[in-house]
Amino acid sequence: MAMKLYGAALSPFVRKTRVFMQHKGIDFEAVHVDPNNPPDDYAKINPLKRIPALEHDGRFLADSAVICQYLERIHPDSPLYPSDPYEYARCLWFEKFADYEVARDCTFAVFRNRIVMRLIGKECNEELVQKALAEKVPPLFEYLNGELEGREFLVGDQMSIADIALASQLVNFRHGGEKVCPDSYPNLAAHTARMHELTHFAKAIEKESGFVSKVLDAG
Ligand SMILES: N[C@@H](CCC(=O)N[C@@H](CS)C(=O)NCC(=O)O)C(=O)O
């Protein structure tokens, strides 16, 4: 039986997990769960009621980082974690940086206010968005831009979970009407452009952008 991935298309954590699975050629059924209104029994799958969650052979896992590590163990082909111990740890560091720091300021401040709030009929707090853009985002981008100096990928010379996690958060930044400024952060802008051009990201962006435009038009 195919695995089931519970979640919604616009979630950066779900997209990250989906791109990871697609890259590895893992078959899965996408089961829609709206994080703003999850079904009553979803707490049995994830007590935090967050997305994504994975069902495999009747067992469940939650959290994109946990799910991806599990999938890497059971599908080691097309590896998305480096084998060198230090590089492996660096990769986890960048994944965490994307999932917690970049997510907080690019997804939860910018995207959530400008898109999700409209979707659920609430007001966008543009003041909070502007504060994030002026004060919170620049140090994050400066750091990532420096780490990408002379490099194609965040760690080693192959794409890893770190690149996927970061690029996925920056899809939400883009849906929120922002982009990584190429004049201020040329390495990060180039990395983001390369990642977003990859087939699985490009298809997701195209599909999601149509939906985001409708949300904006309706608002
Ligand atoms: N660290 C988690 C974060 C998951 C997360 O925050 N998902 C959001 C959607 S983008 C969610 O489910 N929010 C609903 C809530 O927190 O109640 C992961 O990587 O899976």
Side-chain angles (χ1 to χ4, degrees):
M1 201 173 74
M3 296 184 190
K4 287 184 184 168
L5 184 65
Y6 295 84
L10 290 177
S11 160
F13 307 100
V14 174
R15 186 187 309 107
K16 165 192 164 189
T17 310
R18 251 185 5 227
V19 168
F20 185 96
M21 294 174 93
Q22 289 164 338
H23 177 82
K24 284 180 166 285
I26 302 172
D27 259 1
F28 65 95
E29 179 193 339
V31 180
H32 180 73
V33 172
D34 176 354
N36 298 302
N37 189 18
D40 289 343
D41 55 358
Y42 189 63
K44 284 189 203 139
I45 294 178
N46 180 354
L48 300 175
K49 296 195 186 176
R50 293 192 186 129
I51 54 171
L54 182 83
E55 180 176 351
H56 184 207
D57 288 341
R59 301 190 298 183
F60 298 95
L61 284 172
D63 192 283
S64 62
V66 171
I67 294 169
C68 290
Q69 291 216 28
Y70 171 68
L71 294 172
E72 180 76 11
R73 289 283 180 113
I74 59 171
H75 285 276
D77 288 352
S78 309
L80 282 167
Y81 295 81
S83 52
D84 173 79
Y86 180 71
E87 289 197 341
Y88 175 78
R90 285 275 290 167
C91 185
L92 298 186
W93 157 251
F94 284 117
E95 179 187 20
K96 199 173 161 94
F97 192 86
D99 286 0
Y100 291 89
E101 312 305 316
V102 180
R104 184 195 55 216
D105 298 320
C106 293
T107 297
F108 294 126
V110 177
F111 169 80
R112 185 168 168 76
N113 266 292
R114 288 196 176 148
I115 307 299
V116 179
M117 288 311 201
R118 273 181 211 237
L119 196 57
I120 60 177
K122 292 192 178 160
E123 287 283 300
C124 162
N125 183 343
E126 186 60 27
E127 205 179 311
L128 196 145
V129 171
Q130 291 305 326
K131 195 173 162 61
L133 291 173
E135 294 171 22
K136 309 274 190 192
V137 173
L140 302 180
F141 282 7
E142 216 152 290
Y143 167 66
L144 291 165
N145 190 63
E147 291 298 317
L148 282 163
E149 180 68 46
R151 319 183 56 86
E152 193 172 343
F153 302 106
L154 282 163
V155 181
D157 53 10
Q158 290 196 70
M159 182 171 81
S160 73
I161 184 69
D163 303 292
I164 295 177
L166 175 60
S168 194
Q169 296 298 334
L170 294 178
V171 171
N172 289 75
F173 195 57
R174 173 175 172 157
H175 287 332
E178 297 298 327
K179 67 172 188 175
V180 179
C181 172
D183 295 331
S184 308
Y185 314 106
N187 308 321
L188 178 59
H191 177 269
T192 305
R194 280 196 302 275
M195 291 298 296
H196 288 183
E197 276 163 16
L198 296 177
T199 308
H200 303 309
F201 269 116
K203 281 193 180 156
I205 291 169
E206 194 189 343
K207 210 165 153 190
E208 292 168 23
S209 297
F211 180 72
V212 169
S213 303
K214 278 190 202 147
V215 173
L216 292 173
D217 290 348

PDB file of all heavy atoms in Angstrom, residues 10-14 16-17 35-36 48-52 62-65 67 99-100 107-108, ligand 1:
ATOM      1  N   LEU A  10       0.042  24.421   0.374  1.00  0.00           N
ATOM      2  CA  LEU A  10       0.816  25.651   0.600  1.00  0.00           C
ATOM      3  C   LEU A  10       1.751  25.583   1.804  1.00  0.00           C
ATOM      4  O   LEU A  10       2.518  26.519   2.037  1.00  0.00           O
ATOM      5  CB  LEU A  10      -0.136  26.844   0.764  1.00  0.00           C
ATOM      6  CG  LEU A  10      -0.874  27.285  -0.501  1.00  0.00           C
ATOM      7  CD1 LEU A  10      -1.835  28.416  -0.185  1.00  0.00           C
ATOM      8  CD2 LEU A  10       0.093  27.732  -1.595  1.00  0.00           C
ATOM      9  N   SER A  11       1.717  24.497   2.547  1.00  0.00           N
ATOM     10  CA  SER A  11       2.619  24.395   3.709  1.00  0.00           C
ATOM     11  C   SER A  11       4.056  24.144   3.239  1.00  0.00           C
ATOM     12  O   SER A  11       4.304  23.225   2.462  1.00  0.00           O
ATOM     13  CB  SER A  11       2.181  23.242   4.610  1.00  0.00           C
ATOM     14  OG  SER A  11       3.266  22.849   5.429  1.00  0.00           O
ATOM     15  N   PRO A  12       5.004  24.957   3.724  1.00  0.00           N
ATOM     16  CA  PRO A  12       6.403  24.753   3.300  1.00  0.00           C
ATOM     17  C   PRO A  12       6.957  23.405   3.772  1.00  0.00           C
ATOM     18  O   PRO A  12       7.824  22.822   3.130  1.00  0.00           O
ATOM     19  CB  PRO A  12       7.145  25.905   3.979  1.00  0.00           C
ATOM     20  CG  PRO A  12       6.280  26.302   5.137  1.00  0.00           C
ATOM     21  CD  PRO A  12       4.862  26.048   4.692  1.00  0.00           C
ATOM     22  N   PHE A  13       6.431  22.933   4.914  1.00  0.00           N
ATOM     23  CA  PHE A  13       6.936  21.673   5.481  1.00  0.00           C
ATOM     24  C   PHE A  13       6.392  20.475   4.703  1.00  0.00           C
ATOM     25  O   PHE A  13       7.089  19.473   4.527  1.00  0.00           O
ATOM     26  CB  PHE A  13       6.558  21.588   6.963  1.00  0.00           C
ATOM     27  CG  PHE A  13       6.994  22.799   7.744  1.00  0.00           C
ATOM     28  CD1 PHE A  13       6.104  23.809   8.055  1.00  0.00           C
ATOM     29  CD2 PHE A  13       8.320  22.942   8.123  1.00  0.00           C
ATOM     30  CE1 PHE A  13       6.513  24.941   8.739  1.00  0.00           C
ATOM     31  CE2 PHE A  13       8.739  24.068   8.819  1.00  0.00           C
ATOM     32  CZ  PHE A  13       7.828  25.074   9.129  1.00  0.00           C
ATOM     33  N   VAL A  14       5.178  20.623   4.219  1.00  0.00           N
ATOM     34  CA  VAL A  14       4.589  19.564   3.386  1.00  0.00           C
ATOM     35  C   VAL A  14       5.284  19.554   2.028  1.00  0.00           C
ATOM     36  O   VAL A  14       5.661  18.503   1.503  1.00  0.00           O
ATOM     37  CB  VAL A  14       3.057  19.779   3.236  1.00  0.00           C
ATOM     38  CG1 VAL A  14       2.466  18.776   2.261  1.00  0.00           C
ATOM     39  CG2 VAL A  14       2.383  19.683   4.589  1.00  0.00           C
ATOM     40  N   LYS A  16       8.254  20.592   1.292  1.00  0.00           N
ATOM     41  CA  LYS A  16       9.615  20.060   1.499  1.00  0.00           C
ATOM     42  C   LYS A  16       9.591  18.527   1.479  1.00  0.00           C
ATOM     43  O   LYS A  16      10.390  17.885   0.802  1.00  0.00           O
ATOM     44  CB  LYS A  16      10.113  20.575   2.862  1.00  0.00           C
ATOM     45  CG  LYS A  16      11.318  19.885   3.449  1.00  0.00           C
ATOM     46  CD  LYS A  16      11.474  20.325   4.918  1.00  0.00           C
ATOM     47  CE  LYS A  16      12.386  19.441   5.711  1.00  0.00           C
ATOM     48  NZ  LYS A  16      12.359  19.743   7.160  1.00  0.00           N
ATOM     49  N   THR A  17       8.646  17.950   2.205  1.00  0.00           N
ATOM     50  CA  THR A  17       8.554  16.483   2.299  1.00  0.00           C
ATOM     51  C   THR A  17       8.157  15.887   0.946  1.00  0.00           C
ATOM     52  O   THR A  17       8.695  14.861   0.529  1.00  0.00           O
ATOM     53  CB  THR A  17       7.522  16.097   3.389  1.00  0.00           C
ATOM     54  OG1 THR A  17       7.833  16.837   4.571  1.00  0.00           O
ATOM     55  CG2 THR A  17       7.581  14.622   3.701  1.00  0.00           C
ATOM     56  N   PRO A  35      -4.571  22.714   8.034  1.00  0.00           N
ATOM     57  CA  PRO A  35      -4.016  22.913   9.378  1.00  0.00           C
ATOM     58  C   PRO A  35      -4.841  23.878  10.227  1.00  0.00           C
ATOM     59  O   PRO A  35      -4.751  23.871  11.450  1.00  0.00           O
ATOM     60  CB  PRO A  35      -2.620  23.494   9.106  1.00  0.00           C
ATOM     61  CG  PRO A  35      -2.693  24.082   7.733  1.00  0.00           C
ATOM     62  CD  PRO A  35      -3.711  23.274   6.972  1.00  0.00           C
ATOM     63  N   ASN A  36      -5.682  24.699   9.565  1.00  0.00           N
ATOM     64  CA  ASN A  36      -6.534  25.620  10.330  1.00  0.00           C
ATOM     65  C   ASN A  36      -7.824  24.951  10.789  1.00  0.00           C
ATOM     66  O   ASN A  36      -8.560  25.518  11.583  1.00  0.00           O
ATOM     67  CB  ASN A  36      -6.872  26.855   9.481  1.00  0.00           C
ATOM     68  CG  ASN A  36      -5.618  27.613   9.118  1.00  0.00           C
ATOM     69  OD1 ASN A  36      -4.874  28.041   9.996  1.00  0.00           O
ATOM     70  ND2 ASN A  36      -5.339  27.721   7.826  1.00  0.00           N
ATOM     71  N   LEU A  48       0.158  17.304  17.991  1.00  0.00           N
ATOM     72  CA  LEU A  48       0.314  18.752  17.854  1.00  0.00           C
ATOM     73  C   LEU A  48      -0.624  19.308  16.779  1.00  0.00           C
ATOM     74  O   LEU A  48      -0.694  20.522  16.578  1.00  0.00           O
ATOM     75  CB  LEU A  48       1.766  19.102  17.505  1.00  0.00           C
ATOM     76  CG  LEU A  48       2.822  18.664  18.523  1.00  0.00           C
ATOM     77  CD1 LEU A  48       4.223  18.957  17.984  1.00  0.00           C
ATOM     78  CD2 LEU A  48       2.608  19.355  19.859  1.00  0.00           C
ATOM     79  N   LYS A  49      -1.285  18.391  16.056  1.00  0.00           N
ATOM     80  CA  LYS A  49      -2.231  18.742  14.972  1.00  0.00           C
ATOM     81  C   LYS A  49      -1.566  19.560  13.868  1.00  0.00           C
ATOM     82  O   LYS A  49      -2.206  20.425  13.252  1.00  0.00           O
ATOM     83  CB  LYS A  49      -3.452  19.480  15.530  1.00  0.00           C
ATOM     84  CG  LYS A  49      -4.286  18.639  16.469  1.00  0.00           C
ATOM     85  CD  LYS A  49      -5.622  19.303  16.663  1.00  0.00           C
ATOM     86  CE  LYS A  49      -6.462  18.590  17.695  1.00  0.00           C
ATOM     87  NZ  LYS A  49      -7.715  19.257  17.958  1.00  0.00           N
ATOM     88  N   ARG A  50      -0.269  19.338  13.678  1.00  0.00           N
ATOM     89  CA  ARG A  50       0.422  20.067  12.612  1.00  0.00           C
ATOM     90  C   ARG A  50       0.604  19.163  11.403  1.00  0.00           C
ATOM     91  O   ARG A  50       0.560  17.934  11.525  1.00  0.00           O
ATOM     92  CB  ARG A  50       1.789  20.557  13.090  1.00  0.00           C
ATOM     93  CG  ARG A  50       1.646  21.606  14.150  1.00  0.00           C
ATOM     94  CD  ARG A  50       2.959  22.304  14.428  1.00  0.00           C
ATOM     95  NE  ARG A  50       2.752  23.186  15.555  1.00  0.00           N
ATOM     96  CZ  ARG A  50       3.517  23.229  16.635  1.00  0.00           C
ATOM     97  NH1 ARG A  50       4.584  22.461  16.720  1.00  0.00           N
ATOM     98  NH2 ARG A  50       3.246  24.042  17.617  1.00  0.00           N
ATOM     99  N   ILE A  51       0.866  19.808  10.265  1.00  0.00           N
ATOM    100  CA  ILE A  51       1.164  19.052   9.049  1.00  0.00           C
ATOM    101  C   ILE A  51       2.616  19.307   8.663  1.00  0.00           C
ATOM    102  O   ILE A  51       3.134  20.387   8.982  1.00  0.00           O
ATOM    103  CB  ILE A  51       0.200  19.444   7.898  1.00  0.00           C
ATOM    104  CG1 ILE A  51       0.206  20.978   7.666  1.00  0.00           C
ATOM    105  CG2 ILE A  51      -1.203  18.950   8.177  1.00  0.00           C
ATOM    106  CD1 ILE A  51      -0.538  21.435   6.439  1.00  0.00           C
ATOM    107  N   PRO A  52       3.314  18.339   8.043  1.00  0.00           N
ATOM    108  CA  PRO A  52       2.816  17.057   7.555  1.00  0.00           C
ATOM    109  C   PRO A  52       2.859  15.955   8.612  1.00  0.00           C
ATOM    110  O   PRO A  52       3.505  16.080   9.651  1.00  0.00           O
ATOM    111  CB  PRO A  52       3.825  16.715   6.457  1.00  0.00           C
ATOM    112  CG  PRO A  52       5.126  17.258   6.981  1.00  0.00           C
ATOM    113  CD  PRO A  52       4.737  18.532   7.697  1.00  0.00           C
ATOM    114  N   ALA A  62       5.211  12.210  12.582  1.00  0.00           N
ATOM    115  CA  ALA A  62       4.942  13.628  12.349  1.00  0.00           C
ATOM    116  C   ALA A  62       6.258  14.387  12.301  1.00  0.00           C
ATOM    117  O   ALA A  62       7.289  13.884  12.768  1.00  0.00           O
ATOM    118  CB  ALA A  62       4.072  14.182  13.464  1.00  0.00           C
ATOM    119  N   ASP A  63       6.214  15.589  11.717  1.00  0.00           N
ATOM    120  CA  ASP A  63       7.334  16.524  11.604  1.00  0.00           C
ATOM    121  C   ASP A  63       8.158  16.197  10.351  1.00  0.00           C
ATOM    122  O   ASP A  63       8.664  15.091  10.193  1.00  0.00           O
ATOM    123  CB  ASP A  63       8.236  16.497  12.845  1.00  0.00           C
ATOM    124  CG  ASP A  63       9.202  17.666  12.838  1.00  0.00           C
ATOM    125  OD1 ASP A  63      10.190  17.592  12.096  1.00  0.00           O
ATOM    126  OD2 ASP A  63       8.937  18.658  13.524  1.00  0.00           O
ATOM    127  N   SER A  64       8.288  17.225   9.497  1.00  0.00           N
ATOM    128  CA  SER A  64       8.960  17.015   8.206  1.00  0.00           C
ATOM    129  C   SER A  64      10.390  16.488   8.368  1.00  0.00           C
ATOM    130  O   SER A  64      10.830  15.613   7.610  1.00  0.00           O
ATOM    131  CB  SER A  64       8.966  18.315   7.392  1.00  0.00           C
ATOM    132  OG  SER A  64       9.685  19.328   8.059  1.00  0.00           O
ATOM    133  N   ALA A  65      11.121  16.998   9.354  1.00  0.00           N
ATOM    134  CA  ALA A  65      12.521  16.562   9.518  1.00  0.00           C
ATOM    135  C   ALA A  65      12.579  15.087   9.921  1.00  0.00           C
ATOM    136  O   ALA A  65      13.416  14.317   9.422  1.00  0.00           O
ATOM    137  CB  ALA A  65      13.220  17.439  10.563  1.00  0.00           C
ATOM    138  N   ILE A  67      10.192  12.823   9.376  1.00  0.00           N
ATOM    139  CA  ILE A  67       9.685  12.015   8.258  1.00  0.00           C
ATOM    140  C   ILE A  67      10.793  11.818   7.212  1.00  0.00           C
ATOM    141  O   ILE A  67      11.024  10.704   6.732  1.00  0.00           O
ATOM    142  CB  ILE A  67       8.447  12.697   7.618  1.00  0.00           C
ATOM    143  CG1 ILE A  67       7.282  12.704   8.612  1.00  0.00           C
ATOM    144  CG2 ILE A  67       8.055  12.019   6.313  1.00  0.00           C
ATOM    145  CD1 ILE A  67       6.107  13.581   8.193  1.00  0.00           C
ATOM    146  N   ASP A  99      13.781  25.535   8.849  1.00  0.00           N
ATOM    147  CA  ASP A  99      12.484  25.139   9.435  1.00  0.00           C
ATOM    148  C   ASP A  99      12.058  26.025  10.600  1.00  0.00           C
ATOM    149  O   ASP A  99      10.863  26.110  10.899  1.00  0.00           O
ATOM    150  CB  ASP A  99      12.551  23.689   9.952  1.00  0.00           C
ATOM    151  CG  ASP A  99      12.528  22.662   8.829  1.00  0.00           C
ATOM    152  OD1 ASP A  99      12.464  23.055   7.655  1.00  0.00           O
ATOM    153  OD2 ASP A  99      12.591  21.452   9.136  1.00  0.00           O
ATOM    154  N   TYR A 100      13.026  26.623  11.291  1.00  0.00           N
ATOM    155  CA  TYR A 100      12.655  27.418  12.475  1.00  0.00           C
ATOM    156  C   TYR A 100      12.905  28.912  12.295  1.00  0.00           C
ATOM    157  O   TYR A 100      12.039  29.718  12.633  1.00  0.00           O
ATOM    158  CB  TYR A 100      13.364  26.876  13.726  1.00  0.00           C
ATOM    159  CG  TYR A 100      12.795  25.517  14.081  1.00  0.00           C
ATOM    160  CD1 TYR A 100      13.330  24.352  13.552  1.00  0.00           C
ATOM    161  CD2 TYR A 100      11.661  25.411  14.886  1.00  0.00           C
ATOM    162  CE1 TYR A 100      12.765  23.104  13.823  1.00  0.00           C
ATOM    163  CE2 TYR A 100      11.089  24.180  15.164  1.00  0.00           C
ATOM    164  CZ  TYR A 100      11.655  23.025  14.632  1.00  0.00           C
ATOM    165  OH  TYR A 100      11.075  21.809  14.889  1.00  0.00           O
ATOM    166  N   THR A 107       7.900  32.784   6.348  1.00  0.00           N
ATOM    167  CA  THR A 107       6.611  32.105   6.155  1.00  0.00           C
ATOM    168  C   THR A 107       5.576  32.605   7.157  1.00  0.00           C
ATOM    169  O   THR A 107       4.515  33.079   6.772  1.00  0.00           O
ATOM    170  CB  THR A 107       6.792  30.580   6.290  1.00  0.00           C
ATOM    171  OG1 THR A 107       7.678  30.153   5.249  1.00  0.00           O
ATOM    172  CG2 THR A 107       5.462  29.847   6.163  1.00  0.00           C
ATOM    173  N   PHE A 108       5.896  32.499   8.466  1.00  0.00           N
ATOM    174  CA  PHE A 108       4.855  32.817   9.442  1.00  0.00           C
ATOM    175  C   PHE A 108       4.607  34.334   9.555  1.00  0.00           C
ATOM    176  O   PHE A 108       3.490  34.748   9.834  1.00  0.00           O
ATOM    177  CB  PHE A 108       5.152  32.171  10.795  1.00  0.00           C
ATOM    178  CG  PHE A 108       5.096  30.661  10.719  1.00  0.00           C
ATOM    179  CD1 PHE A 108       6.155  29.876  11.142  1.00  0.00           C
ATOM    180  CD2 PHE A 108       3.983  30.024  10.185  1.00  0.00           C
ATOM    181  CE1 PHE A 108       6.100  28.481  11.053  1.00  0.00           C
ATOM    182  CE2 PHE A 108       3.915  28.632  10.087  1.00  0.00           C
ATOM    183  CZ  PHE A 108       4.974  27.860  10.530  1.00  0.00           C
TER     184      PHE A 108
HETATM  185  N1  LIG B   1       8.441  21.477  12.589  1.00  0.00           N
HETATM  186  C1  LIG B   1       7.211  21.095  11.913  1.00  0.00           C
HETATM  187  C2  LIG B   1       6.394  22.345  11.590  1.00  0.00           C
HETATM  188  C3  LIG B   1       5.027  21.993  11.015  1.00  0.00           C
HETATM  189  C4  LIG B   1       4.096  23.189  11.003  1.00  0.00           C
HETATM  190  O1  LIG B   1       4.261  24.168  11.772  1.00  0.00           O
HETATM  191  N2  LIG B   1       3.088  23.114  10.126  1.00  0.00           N
HETATM  192  C5  LIG B   1       2.070  24.163  10.110  1.00  0.00           C
HETATM  193  C6  LIG B   1       1.561  24.393   8.684  1.00  0.00           C
HETATM  194  S1  LIG B   1       2.740  25.188   7.685  1.00  0.00           S
HETATM  195  C7  LIG B   1       0.870  23.707  10.909  1.00  0.00           C
HETATM  196  O2  LIG B   1       0.472  22.562  10.832  1.00  0.00           O
HETATM  197  N3  LIG B   1       0.285  24.618  11.695  1.00  0.00           N
HETATM  198  C8  LIG B   1      -0.905  24.353  12.445  1.00  0.00           C
HETATM  199  C9  LIG B   1      -0.708  24.574  13.919  1.00  0.00           C
HETATM  200  O3  LIG B   1       0.408  24.869  14.362  1.00  0.00           O
HETATM  201  O4  LIG B   1      -1.709  24.438  14.625  1.00  0.00           O
HETATM  202  C10 LIG B   1       7.575  20.317  10.644  1.00  0.00           C
HETATM  203  O5  LIG B   1       8.698  20.455  10.144  1.00  0.00           O
HETATM  204  O6  LIG B   1       6.756  19.495  10.197  1.00  0.00           O
END
